[in-house]
Amino acid sequence: DPEEYGCGRRAFEAFPKLRDRTINKVPKKYLWPLVGCFVMFFFVLARTPSRVETMANRSFIRGNAGRPSIYSYMGTSEMSKFDSQSEMEEILSFWKSKWSEAGWDAIVLKEEDARLHPLFTQLEEDPGVHRWLAMSVSGGIWYADYRTYPIRMTPKIASNPPNDGLFTVHDPRFNHGYRPTLISAMASEWERIIDQVSPYANSEIKIPKHEEVIIESNVEKQGRINVENWVASGVHGTADASRTNLDCAYYSTGTVVHMTRTDIKAGIQLGLLQNDERAQSDVPYLQKFLLMLRTQCPFAQEG
């Protein structure tokens, strides 16, 4: 709207009159509106941020009630892994409650968030990238898989993003092609990763191959990506005969724990978890495991 930027109707009325005239012959009543219009045009153009700048400016380091935010993602591809809507909602509710108890504002992003990204149309058929798009749009720094729970990851960690906000995967299994379960990155870094992955969109490279693309894109660029060991995963017990004690030495290396359905089944086979035929989701097993961790491992009480 030209009126919105001070380019009045008189300025636009002048354009037809310029067809056979030089600027010196433009009537004065049109000249100054034209000059004002062009000045405002270049001012607006200079202020228009790039895609990366737009995403980078949406930084929600602090969440509700002064809490830092941590995000997860639940898209169509992720939903298909659940047997029912109620099971999915129970798992997400449990994830949010555990992070909230640890002092974080836990937010689950969805496909509607990913759709706000300008590249979503190009990447729509490639759901493996959607979580990156949603994170970039959110402006968030911390991402955790919806099966990743805090052991001793306190809000103090959020005040200074690791490695100056460079894209950091806090799960060493990433180097072997696993989907990362805990990530920290500034908004501009999410965009950098999206730019690396997007050329492979809608190709034969599908989940989890995007992780391999990221690794290959950064392997010869020192400092462009970091992989750290913050994640403990699975159910690990001690070698004693009771089969009731967790291996606290193993879990002491992590600030979070990642627990899949396969891990729970393994825990049942080890005798560390008891099979519950009444369970409608994995939540009862997760509750039992995290309670054991807090009870048996003193360091877990810090979380």
Side-chain angles (χ1 to χ4, degrees), residues 9 21 24 31 36 59 69 86 97 116 120 122 140 147 153 183 185 193 218 241 246 252 259 281 298:
R9 182 175 302 171
R21 302 186 184 193
N24 294 327
L31 182 59
S59 182
S69 298
S86 60
S97 69
L116 296 176
F120 182 84
Q122 176 185 339
R147 285 184 174 273
M153 187 167 165
I183 304 172
I193 297 301
N218 292 277
L246 295 174
S252 67
M259 188 72 61
S281 72

Tab-separated table of all heavy atoms in Angstrom, residues 9 21 24 31 36 59 69 86 97 116 120 122 140 147 153 183 185 193 218 241 246 252 259 281 298:
chain	number	residue	atom	x	y	z
A	9	ARG	N	-0.795	9.493	-3.394
A	9	ARG	CA	-1.379	9.295	-4.719
A	9	ARG	C	-0.758	10.241	-5.741
A	9	ARG	O	-0.581	9.889	-6.911
A	9	ARG	CB	-2.883	9.524	-4.634
A	9	ARG	CG	-3.614	9.286	-5.953
A	9	ARG	CD	-5.107	9.423	-5.751
A	9	ARG	NE	-5.569	8.490	-4.738
A	9	ARG	CZ	-6.815	8.511	-4.234
A	9	ARG	NH1	-7.658	9.443	-4.631
A	9	ARG	NH2	-7.169	7.639	-3.329
A	21	ARG	N	9.230	12.883	-20.738
A	21	ARG	CA	9.858	14.015	-20.068
A	21	ARG	C	11.111	13.577	-19.321
A	21	ARG	O	11.262	12.414	-18.968
A	21	ARG	CB	8.898	14.645	-19.053
A	21	ARG	CG	7.591	15.116	-19.666
A	21	ARG	CD	6.784	15.841	-18.628
A	21	ARG	NE	5.483	16.232	-19.150
A	21	ARG	CZ	4.689	17.093	-18.545
A	21	ARG	NH1	5.064	17.639	-17.420
A	21	ARG	NH2	3.507	17.407	-19.063
A	24	ASN	N	13.748	16.785	-14.941
A	24	ASN	CA	13.729	18.235	-14.737
A	24	ASN	C	12.414	18.867	-15.160
A	24	ASN	O	12.110	19.995	-14.794
A	24	ASN	CB	14.874	18.886	-15.517
A	24	ASN	CG	16.233	18.485	-14.964
A	24	ASN	OD1	16.353	18.281	-13.762
A	24	ASN	ND2	17.227	18.375	-15.840
A	31	LEU	N	7.187	16.311	-8.024
A	31	LEU	CA	8.593	15.988	-7.803
A	31	LEU	C	8.864	15.549	-6.368
A	31	LEU	O	9.462	14.495	-6.135
A	31	LEU	CB	9.451	17.194	-8.155
A	31	LEU	CG	10.979	16.978	-8.023
A	31	LEU	CD1	11.424	15.832	-8.917
A	31	LEU	CD2	11.719	18.259	-8.378
A	36	GLY	N	10.170	11.571	-2.149
A	36	GLY	CA	9.819	10.945	-0.878
A	36	GLY	C	9.507	9.478	-1.023
A	36	GLY	O	9.875	8.651	-0.181
A	59	SER	N	14.190	-15.171	19.003
A	59	SER	CA	14.901	-15.948	20.005
A	59	SER	C	14.113	-15.994	21.297
A	59	SER	O	13.999	-15.010	22.003
A	59	SER	CB	16.280	-15.346	20.246
A	59	SER	OG	16.997	-16.109	21.166
A	69	SER	N	13.060	-22.253	27.543
A	69	SER	CA	12.201	-23.142	26.762
A	69	SER	C	12.993	-24.308	26.187
A	69	SER	O	14.146	-24.142	25.775
A	69	SER	CB	11.547	-22.372	25.601
A	69	SER	OG	10.719	-21.345	26.089
A	86	SER	N	-4.652	-41.338	22.165
A	86	SER	CA	-4.509	-41.236	23.619
A	86	SER	C	-3.108	-41.635	24.069
A	86	SER	O	-2.549	-41.050	25.005
A	86	SER	CB	-5.558	-42.108	24.319
A	86	SER	OG	-5.413	-43.472	23.952
A	97	SER	N	5.694	-32.834	31.504
A	97	SER	CA	5.698	-32.789	32.970
A	97	SER	C	7.099	-32.976	33.533
A	97	SER	O	7.484	-32.305	34.506
A	97	SER	CB	4.749	-33.850	33.537
A	97	SER	OG	5.242	-35.167	33.307
A	116	LEU	N	5.013	-22.656	8.786
A	116	LEU	CA	5.274	-21.218	8.796
A	116	LEU	C	6.622	-20.876	8.182
A	116	LEU	O	6.880	-19.717	7.878
A	116	LEU	CB	5.216	-20.696	10.238
A	116	LEU	CG	3.860	-20.803	10.948
A	116	LEU	CD1	3.990	-20.352	12.388
A	116	LEU	CD2	2.800	-19.994	10.218
A	120	PHE	N	8.884	-24.497	3.604
A	120	PHE	CA	8.077	-25.695	3.866
A	120	PHE	C	7.502	-26.293	2.578
A	120	PHE	O	7.486	-27.512	2.400
A	120	PHE	CB	6.931	-25.395	4.840
A	120	PHE	CG	6.123	-26.622	5.165
A	120	PHE	CD1	6.541	-27.494	6.152
A	120	PHE	CD2	4.950	-26.926	4.466
A	120	PHE	CE1	5.814	-28.640	6.457
A	120	PHE	CE2	4.224	-28.065	4.749
A	120	PHE	CZ	4.655	-28.931	5.744
A	122	GLN	N	8.682	-26.335	-0.377
A	122	GLN	CA	9.739	-27.070	-1.071
A	122	GLN	C	10.052	-28.393	-0.380
A	122	GLN	O	10.388	-29.388	-1.030
A	122	GLN	CB	11.007	-26.207	-1.120
A	122	GLN	CG	12.218	-26.909	-1.730
A	122	GLN	CD	13.467	-26.044	-1.643
A	122	GLN	OE1	13.385	-24.824	-1.506
A	122	GLN	NE2	14.625	-26.685	-1.716
A	140	GLY	N	13.717	-21.197	18.968
A	140	GLY	CA	14.222	-21.904	20.130
A	140	GLY	C	15.670	-22.334	19.992
A	140	GLY	O	16.201	-22.452	18.889
A	147	ARG	N	11.109	-38.570	23.715
A	147	ARG	CA	11.439	-39.680	24.616
A	147	ARG	C	12.755	-39.407	25.356
A	147	ARG	O	13.405	-40.330	25.831
A	147	ARG	CB	11.518	-40.996	23.844
A	147	ARG	CG	10.154	-41.561	23.445
A	147	ARG	CD	10.283	-42.920	22.772
A	147	ARG	NE	8.991	-43.532	22.515
A	147	ARG	CZ	8.319	-44.291	23.377
A	147	ARG	NH1	8.818	-44.517	24.578
A	147	ARG	NH2	7.156	-44.821	23.054
A	153	MET	N	19.639	-31.918	34.051
A	153	MET	CA	19.751	-30.794	33.124
A	153	MET	C	18.910	-29.645	33.669
A	153	MET	O	17.711	-29.545	33.430
A	153	MET	CB	19.289	-31.196	31.722
A	153	MET	CG	19.546	-30.135	30.676
A	153	MET	SD	19.354	-30.781	29.011
A	153	MET	CE	19.274	-29.267	28.068
A	183	ILE	N	19.668	-31.386	21.144
A	183	ILE	CA	20.408	-30.431	20.308
A	183	ILE	C	20.301	-29.042	20.925
A	183	ILE	O	19.263	-28.674	21.485
A	183	ILE	CB	19.838	-30.375	18.877
A	183	ILE	CG1	19.830	-31.754	18.235
A	183	ILE	CG2	20.633	-29.395	18.011
A	183	ILE	CD1	19.105	-31.782	16.892
A	185	ALA	N	21.187	-24.996	19.524
A	185	ALA	CA	21.620	-24.204	18.359
A	185	ALA	C	20.868	-22.884	18.334
A	185	ALA	O	19.670	-22.837	18.620
A	185	ALA	CB	21.360	-24.971	17.064
A	193	ILE	N	21.688	-25.535	8.918
A	193	ILE	CA	21.493	-26.973	8.744
A	193	ILE	C	20.394	-27.240	7.716
A	193	ILE	O	20.503	-28.157	6.890
A	193	ILE	CB	21.150	-27.628	10.092
A	193	ILE	CG1	22.325	-27.471	11.060
A	193	ILE	CG2	20.787	-29.093	9.915
A	193	ILE	CD1	23.623	-28.070	10.568
A	218	ASN	N	29.806	-31.245	7.234
A	218	ASN	CA	30.609	-30.568	8.244
A	218	ASN	C	31.914	-31.275	8.585
A	218	ASN	O	32.705	-30.761	9.355
A	218	ASN	CB	29.795	-30.409	9.540
A	218	ASN	CG	28.641	-29.445	9.382
A	218	ASN	OD1	28.810	-28.242	9.486
A	218	ASN	ND2	27.470	-29.968	9.104
A	241	ALA	N	23.290	-60.222	41.348
A	241	ALA	CA	22.263	-61.233	41.090
A	241	ALA	C	20.845	-60.741	41.346
A	241	ALA	O	19.882	-61.342	40.873
A	241	ALA	CB	22.534	-62.472	41.953
A	246	LEU	N	20.174	-50.229	39.089
A	246	LEU	CA	20.643	-49.608	37.863
A	246	LEU	C	22.143	-49.342	37.951
A	246	LEU	O	22.708	-49.209	39.045
A	246	LEU	CB	19.904	-48.281	37.630
A	246	LEU	CG	18.400	-48.374	37.368
A	246	LEU	CD1	17.789	-46.973	37.304
A	246	LEU	CD2	18.122	-49.126	36.078
A	252	SER	N	25.697	-41.657	35.162
A	252	SER	CA	26.344	-40.434	35.661
A	252	SER	C	27.007	-39.640	34.545
A	252	SER	O	27.334	-38.461	34.731
A	252	SER	CB	27.393	-40.794	36.718
A	252	SER	OG	28.480	-41.519	36.135
A	259	MET	N	14.852	-42.920	26.236
A	259	MET	CA	14.268	-44.233	26.477
A	259	MET	C	13.223	-44.551	25.416
A	259	MET	O	12.167	-43.920	25.339
A	259	MET	CB	13.618	-44.256	27.863
A	259	MET	CG	13.146	-45.624	28.311
A	259	MET	SD	14.515	-46.718	28.726
A	259	MET	CE	15.268	-45.817	30.068
A	281	SER	N	0.244	-47.316	27.643
A	281	SER	CA	1.361	-46.635	26.982
A	281	SER	C	2.634	-47.006	27.725
A	281	SER	O	2.614	-47.818	28.663
A	281	SER	CB	1.153	-45.118	26.976
A	281	SER	OG	1.344	-44.592	28.282
A	298	PRO	N	22.399	-40.910	43.439
A	298	PRO	CA	22.326	-39.596	44.090
A	298	PRO	C	22.417	-38.419	43.145
A	298	PRO	O	21.754	-37.399	43.350
A	298	PRO	CB	23.528	-39.630	45.047
A	298	PRO	CG	23.773	-41.081	45.315
A	298	PRO	CD	23.433	-41.780	44.013
